[in-house]
Amino acid sequence: METALEVYNDTETRSPETQPIKRRKKKSMVWEHFTIEAVEPNCRRAFCKGCNQSFAYSNGNKVAGTSHLKRHIAKGTCPALIHTQDNDNNQLMTTPYTPKSDTPRRRYRTQTPSPFVAFNQDKCRQEIAKMIIMHDYPLHMVQHPGFISFVQSIQPHFDAVSFNNVQGDCVATYLAEKQNVMKSLEGIPGRFCLTLDFWTSKLTLGYVFITAHFIDSDWKIQKKLLNVMMESYPEADEALSLAVANCVSEWGLEGKLFSVTFNHPASNSAVENIRPQLCIKNPGILDGQLVIGNCVARTFSSLAKDVLEKGKDVIKNIRDSVKHVKTSESHEERFIELKEQLQVPSEKVLSLDDQTQWNTTYKMLVAASELKEVFSCLDTADPDYKKPPSAEDWRHVEALCTFLKPLFEAASTLQSTGNPSAVTFFHEVWKTQSDLSRAIAGEDPYVAGIAKTMKDKVDKYWRDCSLVLAMAVVMDPRFKMKLVEFSFSKIFGEDAGKNIKTVDDGIHELFSEYMALPSPLKPTSEGGKADGLSDFDTYIMETTGQNLKSELDQYLDETLLPRVQEFDVLDWWKQNKLKYPTLSKMARDILSIPVSAAAFDYVFDMEPREMDEYKTSLRPETVEALICAREWLLENASSSAAAQMASAIIKSEA
């Protein structure tokens, strides 16, 4: 037998052409896809069995390794593998170089096979469009060098996308989502109430956000953004009516419209232009009376603006004092030390206000008022503090806070509740009106002056909206006409009877209109089935029509329900829809009327929202696509997350 030394010497004496260098057996699975062939003396290359592409392997004594071969297989760059994957209907393939051994090799630390997924350019473009829409990124980001470099580092085969490409992709995403929304609205059993939120821009263009509010088949109140329409001449009286007409036509809402609410004060002409649209093809809405000229959020903001304007000089003094404390670390330290020395119990934290959001000014005044003792002594501890507010200033601050507090609490309800009840704001408005009347009759001229300015606006809002708000109250079995009678007696005094009769006549007239509606809106059980007795139904309607018309009076005559805190008025009507088949349909529509057209984040805005310069540079169709699709996609994501959470809770409880 040859010794190891003899074998070594024998190998060394042979020429490379006659005896290749001996190496250990190839174990990597990469060799299932490659063969080694000599192409020149001392030079061998690895050839892919699928595409026959060659790669460096060895040159003399130098060996290239297999990392680049693995990348060719694993990264999806081999045309043969892509073709195989497509033929398998996009089924995942495990990477070919997964070690067979139970113990992973040093360079591969995972035992889980890596999936091979073919690159899909169209799918990537769809996801980029969704990303831009959901996160409100500029469309031009696809042309930014940083974005292009990032994408190519992930997938070198991705073709750059132009601005026009991504704009088209975003519009296509919007159109696909729009079809889903239209399909979801087809089965809504009741009518739709529209809110119009008006935005301005620096280019003197206007944008009207139109949102539909409705109650679904499960008696849950819902809303859906339908349109964002650009108005070239927003100051024109017909601008809003044209926007509503286009929305109704585009979404097929003819015969389904119930009310319209404006987010900002509209002119009388603008309101009158919209009324006919409610009447045409929309029977049963009191000749277009259900137009709310101004939403409650904007009313509260307008009242708050009047209060702040009356106290602007005092507020500036307070703001300057707060600014002195908050803009210097040393000043704030002295303020805190003095507060501790004086043992002032307030837990309020000083903060400067954002003068575009009136609630921040109110919070600043409240905090400063509770800390007025510290401010009054601050000049002794801080020599830089020169002008503390006077005792008269603090008295005025307290008066301002007295007016702002109920407005703040009422407006906060719009943010804390997804769909605040009209009943809540009926109570708030008439109570505010009564409080202002007492303040005007008081002895303090400063307070009386503020109250008089506010009451004029509350009176106008009440004239415009009291019928709608009162009808919602009547549809609440805890109040019915009783709360209307009580509140009107406080507000109108000797004229209360006339105004109460207006509400009572209106609710009965509307009920009569619902009784006269043609099938299928005639009273039937929801989701009813065709049982061949339609003629019998007609007979019943004709012979007992008078009794059916007393459905409203029967409801009004019944005893009021107890005023429990967590009462769900929609659920009550859901449970009683068979008892009140016609009235429940009317209640559904009345209770879907939104009291506010302001978006959740904009309740405390002092001025109309402004469209940013970037969006105003885009085509109107693109702006609408981006804004509407974003809201729809985020709603879908939120619903999906909620469903997953509910499923997880159910599984954990099981």
Side-chain angles (χ1 to χ4, degrees):
M1 174 178 287
E2 294 177 302
T3 65
L5 180 59
E6 289 172 332
V7 172
Y8 175 83
N9 290 335
D10 182 65
T11 302
E12 286 295 305
T13 59
R14 298 175 185 175
S15 65
E17 291 81 358
T18 59
Q19 177 62 48
I21 299 173
K22 288 189 175 181
R23 303 189 183 278
R24 61 186 175 83
K25 183 179 180 182
K26 301 181 181 65
K27 296 182 179 180
S28 175
M29 288 184 66
V30 75
W31 299 115
E32 295 181 9
H33 295 267
F34 288 90
T35 60
I36 305 299
E37 298 181 18
V39 295
E40 294 178 6
N42 295 330
C43 178
R44 295 188 297 167
R45 296 183 67 81
F47 286 81
C48 176
K49 295 179 181 180
C51 64
N52 204 36
Q53 185 176 350
S54 69
F55 299 85
Y57 178 66
S58 68
N59 191 350
N61 293 330
K62 185 178 180 181
V63 180
T66 59
S67 298
H68 60 307
L69 306 182
K70 294 168 182 174
R71 286 194 294 270
H72 177 69
I73 301 300
K75 298 299 183 181
T77 57
C78 176
L81 282 180
I82 294 176
H83 180 69
T84 301
Q85 194 266 355
D86 289 340
N87 290 340
D88 290 340
N89 295 321
N90 294 327
Q91 294 296 317
L92 297 180
M93 295 176 59
T94 58
T95 182
Y97 54 88
T98 303
K100 295 180 179 180
S101 171
D102 291 337
T103 303
R105 293 175 61 184
R106 179 176 60 85
R107 297 179 66 182
Y108 305 99
R109 303 182 183 278
T110 178
Q111 295 179 347
T112 304
S114 301
F116 166 75
V117 181
F119 169 63
N120 187 321
Q121 174 84 8
D122 292 339
K123 179 65 175 176
C124 287
R125 283 180 50 172
Q126 291 173 11
E127 292 302 320
I128 288 175
K130 285 186 178 181
M131 175 188 72
I132 288 174
I133 291 171
M134 292 182 68
H135 301 288
D136 206 18
Y137 294 145
L139 298 177
H140 291 85
M141 71 170 290
V142 296
Q143 296 176 329
H144 294 172
F147 177 79
I148 295 173
S149 176
F150 169 71
V151 172
Q152 288 184 343
S153 70
I154 298 175
Q155 177 49 260
H157 292 270
F158 180 78
D159 294 331
V161 182
S162 68
F163 171 85
N164 288 335
N165 290 150
V166 76
Q167 181 176 235
D169 292 342
C170 289
V171 172
T173 300
Y174 157 75
L175 292 174
E177 292 298 322
K178 183 178 180 180
Q179 290 300 314
N180 295 333
V181 174
M182 296 187 80
K183 185 176 181 180
S184 69
L185 296 182
E186 289 176 357
I188 299 304
R191 302 191 186 194
F192 295 88
C193 301
L194 300 183
T195 56
L196 277 57
D197 187 1
F198 183 78
W199 289 36
T200 62
S201 76
K202 292 182 179 177
L203 300 180
T204 67
L205 299 172
Y207 292 84
V208 182
F209 288 59
I210 303 181
T211 302
H213 301 252
F214 54 92
I215 294 176
D216 63 21
S217 56
D218 195 36
W219 286 83
K220 301 295 182 184
I221 195 160
Q222 308 287 350
K223 64 179 180 179
K224 190 73 67 173
L225 178 64
L226 300 184
N227 292 102
V228 178
M229 296 184 177
M230 189 197 78
E231 294 295 336
S232 301
Y233 302 97
E235 68 281 355
D237 289 336
E238 65 274 10
L240 295 178
S241 60
L242 287 175
V244 172
N246 290 334
C247 174
V248 169
S249 175
E250 180 180 340
W251 290 87
L253 300 183
E254 293 88 350
K256 300 178 182 179
L257 201 57
F258 190 67
S259 75
V260 177
T261 302
F262 296 92
N263 185 39
H264 72 294
S267 66
N268 292 332
S269 298
V271 172
E272 293 306 317
N273 284 338
I274 285 184
R275 290 195 195 280
Q277 297 184 41
L278 287 177
C279 301
I280 298 173
K281 297 183 180 180
N282 282 280
I285 49 176
L286 299 178
D287 296 326
Q289 294 185 57
L290 304 182
V291 176
I292 302 178
N294 196 6
C295 83
V296 71
R298 293 284 70 82
T299 299
F300 288 149
S301 291
S302 180
L303 293 173
K305 189 175 182 179
D306 288 340
V307 174
L308 298 180
E309 178 63 26
K310 288 289 184 180
K312 62 181 180 180
D313 294 333
V314 173
I315 294 172
K316 183 180 184 303
N317 291 342
I318 302 300
R319 186 180 292 118
D320 289 342
S321 293
V322 174
K323 188 182 297 184
H324 173 85
V325 174
K326 297 301 294 183
T327 56
S328 169
E329 186 175 348
S330 61
H331 292 169
E332 188 165 18
E333 288 176 354
R334 292 171 187 167
F335 186 88
I336 294 174
E337 290 175 0
L338 182 59
K339 175 189 173 185
E340 293 175 350
Q341 292 174 9
L342 296 173
Q343 297 182 345
V344 177
S346 174
E347 298 296 327
K348 298 290 186 182
V349 177
L350 289 176
S351 61
L352 281 170
D353 61 331
D354 174 359
Q355 296 182 50
T356 66
Q357 300 272 316
W358 66 267
N359 60 316
T360 63
T361 304
Y362 167 69
K363 291 178 180 179
M364 180 185 73
L365 295 177
V366 170
S369 181
E370 290 193 11
L371 296 167
K372 64 182 179 181
E373 184 180 353
V374 184
F375 279 109
S376 299
C377 301
L378 186 59
D379 56 346
T380 61
D382 185 351
D384 296 331
Y385 185 60
K386 304 297 184 182
K387 296 181 180 180
S390 65
E392 183 75 1
D393 288 339
W394 289 118
R395 189 179 68 82
H396 286 172
V397 168
E398 291 178 0
L400 296 175
C401 290
T402 300
F403 283 114
L404 291 173
K405 181 180 179 181
L407 299 178
F408 171 76
E409 292 175 344
S412 296
T413 305
L414 294 170
Q415 288 190 326
S416 60
T417 307
N419 294 285
S421 167
V423 176
T424 300
F425 291 96
F426 176 89
H427 180 77
E428 292 292 341
V429 173
W430 80 259
K431 182 173 172 293
T432 299
Q433 195 173 41
S434 297
D435 292 343
L436 292 174
S437 297
R438 286 194 296 271
I440 292 173
E443 299 180 356
D444 189 328
Y446 181 78
V447 172
I450 298 175
K452 188 176 186 308
T453 302
M454 295 175 67
K455 189 173 184 300
D456 291 341
K457 289 189 175 180
V458 174
D459 288 344
K460 182 181 184 307
Y461 179 83
W462 191 253
R463 288 193 301 270
D464 293 342
C465 308
S466 61
L467 177 61
V468 174
L469 295 177
M471 288 170 64
V473 168
V474 174
M475 292 296 100
D476 190 322
R478 297 172 297 172
F479 302 109
K480 302 181 182 179
M481 284 295 297
K482 295 300 182 182
L483 181 58
V484 175
E485 295 165 0
F486 172 77
S487 58
F488 278 26
S489 64
K490 300 286 186 181
I491 297 170
F492 299 110
E494 295 179 356
D495 294 331
K498 178 179 66 176
N499 290 280
I500 292 170
K501 186 176 185 301
T502 299
V503 176
D504 187 68
D505 289 347
I507 206 79
H508 278 83
E509 180 183 346
L510 186 61
F511 177 73
S512 297
E513 292 177 352
Y514 269 76
M515 286 298 304
L517 289 176
S519 298
L521 292 179
K522 284 282 189 178
T524 58
S525 61
E526 294 180 11
K529 58 183 180 178
D531 53 9
L533 294 176
S534 57
D535 292 340
F536 175 72
D537 293 335
T538 302
Y539 170 76
I540 292 296
M541 293 287 290
E542 293 174 349
T543 57
T544 61
Q546 188 60 41
N547 291 333
L548 286 174
K549 288 183 180 180
S550 66
E551 200 177 295
L552 172 61
D553 293 325
Q554 177 187 344
Y555 163 77
L556 293 175
D557 290 342
E558 289 182 349
T559 305
L560 298 180
L561 295 183
R563 295 196 310 276
V564 295
Q565 188 69 23
E566 300 300 325
F567 181 75
D568 186 341
V569 64
L570 293 180
D571 185 67
W572 187 89
W573 280 106
K574 178 182 178 181
Q575 302 302 325
N576 288 271
K577 63 186 179 183
L578 296 180
K579 181 178 181 181
Y580 302 111
T582 301
L583 190 60
S584 64
K585 295 178 183 297
M586 188 176 82
R588 185 206 299 271
D589 293 338
I590 291 175
L591 295 174
S592 67
I593 297 177
V595 293
S596 172
F600 174 84
D601 296 333
Y602 311 143
V603 168
F604 296 103
D605 281 9
M606 298 282 280
E607 301 294 340
R609 300 292 295 182
E610 184 176 281
M611 189 71 73
D612 62 73
E613 292 185 31
Y614 175 74
K615 284 195 173 68
T616 55
S617 69
L618 302 175
R619 296 185 312 188
E621 299 83 2
T622 303
V623 175
E624 182 175 55
L626 292 174
I627 295 176
C628 290
R630 181 175 188 269
E631 179 151 326
W632 298 338
L633 289 172
L634 291 177
E635 286 175 357
N636 293 340
S638 176
S639 299
S640 177
Q644 291 177 4
M645 182 178 295
S647 177
I649 293 174
I650 292 173
K651 289 181 179 179
S652 64
E653 291 177 348

